[in-house]
Amino acid sequence: KQEVTQIPAALSVPEGENLVLNCSFTDSAIYNLQWFRQDPGKGLTSLLLIQSSQREQTSGRLNASLDKSSGRSTLYIAASQPGDSATYLCAVVGSQGNLIFGKGTKLSVKP
Amino acid sequence: DGGITQSPKYLFRKEGQNVTLSCEQNLNHDAMYWYRQDPGQGLRLIYYSQIVNDFQKGDIAEGYSVSREKKESFPLTVTSAQKNPTAFYLCASRIVWAGLLDQPQHFGDGTRLSIL
């Protein structure tokens, strides 16, 4: 059974720092991996989707990498800003197209 | 704009009452999903539907029911059998193209359900 783990559970950094969020999964036979952002009390906003054949995806200050063989993905956030404060969720696709989620990393960027 | 609309945003349930959460999408997506989120937990799959008039149980279907009479609608009923319904409920959809599973899911803004 696929399991997704995110480390750390919470992270607090000063503004301007570059940071890395980690995601690991137990079954390397994935179709894709998605990174989401969730603000308190809100739904999920898709940040990046990496197909199984890809190694990384970039969007602005965000870069996500995927290493299927080791069952790992990282989300790199450059020059962090207070507006980046949110919970970041990683998810892989299950056999019915559903998403299997990690518990998230709660990020706080201090001004 | 295309998207997924969940209503209501907040919902309160009395003991012994069934309540229904609405999820409507105008993305022309084939598959729809319901997830439950508890504090400090990842999202867990309740039910999903790949096509009209067909749906399947997810990991935590007990105490819930769904219907899929129209492509754009996938309502979730939280029955009185669900003893701990307080949670944040999220609906999602995705296109199904040639049976592939590599298309992204899109999410609504969620419904927060509480017990009175």
Side-chain angles (χ1 to χ4, degrees):
Chain A
K1 181 182 177 184
Q2 178 74 272
E3 292 183 1
V4 179
T5 303
Q6 291 188 247
I7 294 173
L11 182 62
S12 182
V13 300
E15 182 178 3
E17 269 203 12
N18 302 327
L19 58 99
V20 174
L21 307 181
N22 296 294
C23 172
S24 61
F25 45 93
T26 55
D27 185 348
S28 62
I30 63 170
Y31 290 91
N32 62 45
L33 183 144
Q34 262 184 285
W35 281 95
F36 294 89
R37 169 185 173 136
Q38 185 176 32
D39 293 290
K42 302 292 187 182
L44 275 61
T45 300
S46 181
L47 298 173
L48 290 165
L49 181 147
I50 311 177
Q51 300 291 358
S52 61
S53 58
Q54 298 175 320
R55 295 294 297 238
E56 64 178 316
Q57 279 285 335
T58 298
S59 176
R61 293 182 295 108
L62 305 179
N63 176 276
S65 67
L66 175 63
D67 184 344
K68 280 179 53 179
S69 61
S70 66
R72 294 182 181 180
S73 175
T74 60
L75 179 66
Y76 176 82
I77 302 177
S80 58
Q81 304 171 357
D84 295 330
S85 298
T87 296
Y88 291 80
L89 294 164
C90 159
V92 298
V93 176
S95 60
Q96 299 301 323
N98 57 294
L99 290 173
I100 301 169
F101 285 85
K103 294 183 179 180
T105 294
K106 186 175 183 179
L107 174 65
S108 176
V109 181
K110 306 292 186 184
Chain B
D1 286 337
I4 301 175
T5 301
Q6 289 189 241
S7 62
K9 190 175 178 67
Y10 300 97
L11 187 59
F12 298 92
R13 195 192 87 169
K14 296 180 181 178
E15 290 289 336
Q17 186 182 44
N18 294 350
V19 292
T20 298
L21 285 61
S22 172
C23 178
E24 303 276 333
Q25 54 98 0
N26 59 4
L27 299 166
N28 199 33
H29 284 177
D30 308 282
M32 297 186 74
Y33 304 85
W34 274 106
Y35 296 91
R36 169 179 171 143
Q37 186 178 34
D38 295 281
Q41 300 293 319
L43 281 69
R44 293 180 291 169
L45 181 67
I46 306 173
Y47 266 99
Y48 63 97
S49 170
Q50 306 272 35
I51 194 170
V52 174
N53 292 324
D54 185 55
F55 48 83
Q56 305 296 328
K57 293 182 179 180
D59 299 323
I60 55 166
E62 185 175 350
Y64 300 97
S65 66
V66 293
S67 63
R68 186 85 186 277
E69 298 177 1
K70 299 184 295 182
K71 186 177 184 179
E72 59 270 24
S73 179
F74 191 39
L76 173 74
T77 296
V78 184
T79 74
S80 57
Q82 173 49 247
K83 298 306 179 186
N84 185 23
T86 298
F88 190 51
Y89 291 86
L90 285 159
C91 178
S93 70
R94 73 176 181 93
I95 197 166
V96 176
W97 182 76
L100 297 176
L101 300 179
D102 60 352
Q103 298 303 306
Q105 284 195 20
H106 300 260
F107 283 80
D109 287 337
T111 292
R112 187 165 300 280
L113 176 62
S114 302
I115 292 188
L116 281 178

